[in-house]
Amino acid sequence: MNLSGKPWTAALVWVWLAVTILSACSNAEAEVEPVEGKVYYSDQVSVLMYHDLTEGKTSKNALSVKDFKKQMELLKRNGFQVIGMKEYSEYILNQGPVPDNAVLMTFDDGYESFYKLAYPVLKEYGYPATNFVIVKYIDERIGAPKITWDQMREMQKDGMTFYSHTYDSHVYVEEDEQGGKKPALTARKYLVEEKRQETAEEAKRRVAEDLAKAEERLKEELGNADSILSFPYGAFNDTVMDVLQSLDIQLSFTVRRGINSRADANSYRINGANAKENPKTVIDHLKKIKDSNS
């Protein structure tokens, strides 16, 4: 632009530039300014659910660490209060208080990415989280890389907690000769050598032995004083709930979507790792979740 001989034009341009810059700065500040006093729900707790994190390609169960970090930023910016499992347990079992906009962070399966990718972000924001581990996969290093007992002990010092995702029941098992399958916790397994299906009592005993072994190992390695379970695939039935009661497992977590009140010892969760949703969408779910259990 040639402003020669037109000082008034140059002045207008400089005013326009100044206004544009100030507006941009104002908008940037508005984006990072925390929400003060905004209450989306009270005396309830939203539970976020994750599995794996990745620095590369995302998948059904693997959220990018970039999006995870953005979610953590948005939680803080929008006035959500992240609590730990101990506080949640007190809330459900002993009428303990929770802050407005309370959120509990949970991960399933015990992937190594929890230590390498999630843990540094959680520490940065001062957020506790729980990981439900498939205990046999930790003991025997089965499948995709998993966290170790030593890593868990290290993370416990920063408020991370670790509970059961069963010992070895994160599988589908055949219920009949035709190959029909159900999650191990709720199935009556087909016994190939005997050419018959388990009785209801045999299935119940198998589930009880599996869950008891998981609790035993968690207590041995981590000193857990309480017993909490996340159901693989969200699968449970009355028999499984009876087993939990017999083993004094007082808290459990499903994959059913909703928000939790004090009556929800079998708790709802919200998927924070939906690859089709961006971080803002996940946070918007939390803002609107009140009284929307389904």
Side-chain angles (χ1 to χ4, degrees):
M1 180 182 297
N2 183 2
L3 300 178
S4 169
K6 297 182 180 180
W8 58 272
T9 304
L12 286 175
V13 171
W14 284 112
V15 168
W16 176 81
L17 285 172
V19 170
T20 301
I21 292 169
L22 287 172
S23 177
C25 291
S26 176
N27 289 338
E29 289 175 2
E31 286 181 2
V32 298
E33 188 70 24
V35 173
E36 295 292 341
K38 180 68 174 178
V39 176
Y40 308 107
Y41 51 84
S42 296
D43 200 32
Q44 292 178 298
V45 182
S46 295
V47 181
L48 282 171
M49 174 181 65
Y50 304 92
H51 289 79
D52 202 2
L53 293 187
T54 178
E55 292 179 299
K57 186 177 180 181
T58 59
S59 66
K60 181 180 178 181
N61 287 324
L63 179 71
S64 76
V65 67
K66 179 181 177 181
D67 280 355
F68 177 71
K69 186 170 183 177
K70 185 66 175 179
Q71 285 186 25
M72 300 305 99
E73 176 190 338
L74 290 173
L75 284 173
K76 187 172 289 289
R77 183 188 301 171
N78 285 279
F80 289 96
Q81 304 295 317
V82 177
I83 65 173
M85 185 61 79
K86 298 292 185 184
E87 194 171 353
Y88 183 74
S89 178
E90 282 296 308
Y91 164 75
I92 293 289
L93 302 177
N94 298 314
Q95 301 298 306
V98 291
D100 293 337
N101 308 330
V103 174
L104 176 70
M105 311 275 293
T106 66
F107 289 72
D108 284 359
D109 300 339
Y111 289 110
E112 183 183 58
S113 63
F114 183 74
Y115 179 75
K116 291 189 171 181
L117 300 179
Y119 177 46
V121 174
L122 293 165
K123 281 202 299 183
E124 177 182 344
Y125 283 89
Y127 289 163
T130 287
N131 201 310
F132 294 103
V133 301
I134 310 166
V135 180
K136 182 176 180 178
Y137 291 16
I138 306 299
D139 279 343
E140 299 184 14
R141 316 309 299 161
I142 294 172
K146 305 296 191 299
I147 49 178
T148 68
W149 294 116
D150 283 342
Q151 288 169 341
M152 284 185 252
R153 285 186 281 269
E154 176 187 342
M155 289 186 278
Q156 281 182 319
K157 298 173 185 177
D158 288 303
M160 311 303 151
T161 50
F162 303 89
Y163 294 98
S164 174
H165 205 29
T166 74
Y167 187 78
D168 187 25
S169 290
H170 197 296
V171 292
Y172 276 76
V173 298
E174 293 186 359
E175 282 204 310
D176 52 46
E177 288 182 286
Q178 287 70 46
K181 293 184 177 182
K182 285 180 64 175
L185 286 188
T186 56
R188 286 174 56 187
K189 186 177 180 181
Y190 184 71
L191 306 175
V192 177
E193 292 184 0
E194 301 178 34
K195 297 183 178 180
R196 67 176 179 88
Q197 192 180 50
E198 286 177 319
T199 65
E201 188 57 37
E202 286 172 332
K204 185 175 183 177
R205 184 166 57 249
R206 169 176 54 79
V207 169
E209 290 173 354
D210 178 278
L211 298 184
K213 187 169 184 179
E215 293 304 322
E216 178 185 2
R217 291 293 295 127
L218 286 160
K219 287 174 171 60
E220 288 174 351
E221 294 288 348
L222 304 177
N224 282 8
D226 45 8
S227 300
I228 303 171
L229 173 70
S230 168
F231 298 116
Y233 319 110
F236 65 94
N237 56 21
D238 290 343
T239 298
V240 174
M241 299 308 290
D242 287 345
V243 170
L244 264 58
Q245 185 174 5
S246 72
L247 296 175
D248 197 29
I249 300 175
Q250 299 184 58
L251 277 181
S252 52
F253 289 82
T254 70
V255 297
R256 296 180 302 171
R257 187 177 184 276
I259 192 169
N260 299 289
S261 67
R262 296 179 188 277
D264 295 314
N266 190 24
S267 301
Y268 299 92
R269 293 194 286 179
I270 300 164
N271 185 9
N274 188 334
K276 298 179 181 179
E277 298 182 339
N278 62 43
K280 182 180 182 300
T281 305
V282 173
I283 303 308
D284 285 345
H285 288 325
L286 297 182
K287 293 179 180 180
K288 300 172 184 177
I289 195 65
K290 183 179 179 181
D291 299 325
S292 65
N293 293 353
S294 58

